[in-house]
Amino acid sequence: MSDIQKLSAPVPPGGTIGILGGGQLGRMLALAAARLGLKAHIYSNESDAPAFQVSAAHTMGWYDDEAALKAFAEQCDAITFEFENVPSEAIALLSQFKPTNPNAKALMIGQDRLEEKTFVRKLGIKTAEYAAVDSASDINLAITKVGAPAILKTRRLGYDGKGQAKVRSADETVRALESFKGAPALLEDFVDFAFEASLIAARGLDGSFAAYDPPENIHGDHILRKSTVPSRLTPAQIAEARNIAKRIAEALDYVGVLCVELFATKDGALLVNEIAPRVHNSGHWTLEACAISQFEQHIRAVAGWPLGDPARHSNAVMENIIGDDAANWLKLAKGGGALHLYGKSNIRKGRKMGHVTKLSAKS
Ligand code: AMP
């Protein structure tokens, strides 16, 4: 069998959505699937994956175990994933057995910062200036092209600031590249942005498109801390952000929720920082502030259902609970917001343990 499987009809209630990855995103996807009468089957390599606790079925297996992946596929009607570092070979394999979305191309582009930026630029969409740095001999040319200060990022397997270093000179860039232990990298202009925002949108199996109101995002130590809607984006910038996400989704023949992370520059431009081919932390507020959350929207899309209305009925502020903050769960529970704890057994520095969303009247 080598053909890619496509959904010929929506997965009916009672059907099973397979989810690769068992973190908090998988957990919230499983809960959303349950609301629609669908079952979630989680595949994860962690024995205490947070999503196992709330799903109808789970498999513990490695992402390169072809026999285990095939057995998992046989028990699902449609398959998706919750993190972009799943090997694209696993998605290519699963898609031979069951409809798997987002597709392998979207995953491949989301995994490689160089492919991603090249793809976005080809669509005529702006990004920060960048240059590939495969080895130390590329550094002088890259600095000439990009300027300094800049950020050196590994092309692959970076998230929440892992595999990133701010550099001010060629010497610093050499040292940063050495610390990446030979991993191919990308030098990026350091953008002195006005603020960061993200556009979360869904594309359905029928090509329909639904975008959420873009939140404004604040990061600390490269980890998302806070998302606020409405953002400071103007109506024209919001329309532009939607258009950017729509063109990306169409070019990828995308099915599911995707997030486009943006820098809003001081002169009003929008630069694409990253594409996440999945539900996103900056969209957690949609659980309370929209009738249809990003998680339900994603399940609807990958199950071949009609997309729901992404309209926001409230203003919202979502704050992550990171590391030791989770020890204050009782205080957080009294804080008046909607508290989400992800069921992670160990608190670790920098680990996302939960989040709180506070709503207010829509403006
Ligand atoms: P990333 O892993 O690329 O999403 O980066 C995480 C965070 O680091 C971003 O949300 C920004 O706050 C910061 N960052 C990444 N790239 C740049 C850049 N080129 N210029 C300025 N800040 C950046």
Side-chain angles (χ1 to χ4, degrees):
M1 196 197 287
S2 64
D3 283 349
I4 295 217
Q5 299 298 306
K6 300 256 185 213
L7 265 182
S8 52
V11 178
T16 297
I17 308 298
I19 301 172
L20 255 75
Q24 65 268 20
L25 301 179
R27 178 179 170 105
M28 290 184 271
L29 284 167
L31 291 166
R35 181 168 119 164
L36 297 175
L38 293 161
K39 298 188 180 98
H41 184 147
I42 305 289
Y43 187 105
S44 170
N45 61 5
E46 287 174 34
S47 59
D48 60 350
F52 285 175
Q53 298 162 15
V54 301
S55 45
H58 68 259
T59 297
M60 213 193 120
W62 301 109
Y63 295 112
D64 60 358
D65 182 341
E66 293 191 9
L69 287 167
K70 183 166 178 264
F72 162 72
E74 276 163 3
Q75 297 171 66
C76 302
D77 298 298
I79 297 174
T80 188
F81 52 88
E82 59 110 54
F83 72 120
E84 65 263 39
N85 290 332
V86 38
S88 55
E89 296 80 16
I91 296 301
L93 178 81
L94 290 170
S95 58
Q96 290 175 25
F97 297 103
K98 290 293 162 63
T100 301
N101 283 295
N103 59 35
K105 184 179 176 198
L107 178 64
M108 194 269 289
I109 289 199
Q111 282 177 338
D112 185 324
R113 294 181 191 276
L114 182 62
E115 296 279 354
E116 184 176 71
K117 289 222 159 44
T118 310
F119 165 79
V120 168
R121 284 279 187 102
K122 272 199 191 134
L123 293 178
I125 298 167
K126 292 184 213 117
T127 69
E129 199 56 64
Y130 65 94
V133 176
D134 292 327
S135 68
S137 60
D138 296 327
I139 288 176
N140 281 334
L141 203 62
I143 295 242
T144 310
K145 183 175 176 211
V146 170
I151 299 198
L152 189 74
K153 300 181 177 179
T154 54
R155 279 177 60 172
R156 299 172 61 82
L157 298 178
Y159 66 97
D160 287 349
K162 295 185 175 70
Q164 289 196 21
K166 188 169 176 185
V167 291
R168 288 163 206 83
S169 64
D171 280 355
E172 277 185 26
T173 313
V174 170
R175 282 198 293 278
L177 189 65
E178 279 168 9
S179 76
F180 296 165
K181 300 188 171 61
L186 184 78
L187 191 71
E188 235 180 76
D189 180 26
F190 184 81
V191 181
D192 182 23
F193 48 74
F195 59 91
E196 293 186 79
S198 54
L199 195 292
I200 295 150
R203 188 164 178 272
L205 201 61
D206 58 357
S208 54
F209 181 80
Y212 290 96
D213 198 5
E216 182 167 331
N217 303 320
I218 296 175
H219 293 81
D221 297 331
H222 298 275
I223 302 174
L224 182 71
R225 303 282 154 166
K226 189 171 177 178
S227 292
T228 305
V229 272
S231 67
R232 277 178 280 168
L233 293 171
T234 63
Q237 286 178 312
I238 293 175
E240 186 188 341
R242 283 173 193 239
N243 191 261
I244 288 171
K246 188 157 191 266
R247 277 155 60 207
I248 291 172
E250 281 171 3
L252 291 171
D253 196 18
Y254 196 90
V255 174
V257 165
L258 89 167
C259 174
V260 181
E261 294 178 33
L262 300 161
F263 297 137
T265 66
K266 289 174 179 161
D267 58 2
L270 293 181
L271 307 181
V272 169
N273 173 36
E274 219 177 11
I275 305 168
R278 54 171 170 80
V279 286
H280 196 260
N281 193 171
S282 66
H284 289 0
W285 56 272
T286 61
L287 282 163
E288 283 82 21
C290 303
I292 310 296
S293 74
Q294 63 164 349
F295 302 101
E296 179 173 334
Q297 197 75 295
H298 186 73
I299 295 292
R300 282 173 173 251
V302 300
W305 289 32
L307 295 183
D309 181 358
R312 171 174 72 77
H313 55 66
S314 300
N315 288 359
V317 179
M318 187 281 320
E319 285 192 77
N320 274 335
I321 301 167
I322 296 171
D324 281 340
D325 292 352
N328 292 327
W329 58 272
L330 201 51
K331 191 169 163 223
L332 290 163
K334 286 183 195 155
L339 176 63
H340 297 253
L341 294 171
Y342 303 147
K344 295 185 180 178
S345 34
N346 299 314
I347 295 182
R348 281 200 302 270
K349 189 171 181 288
R351 193 176 198 200
K352 291 175 180 168
M353 304 299 295
H355 71 268
V356 180
T357 301
K358 290 189 177 160
L359 299 183
S360 58
K362 189 178 177 193
S363 60

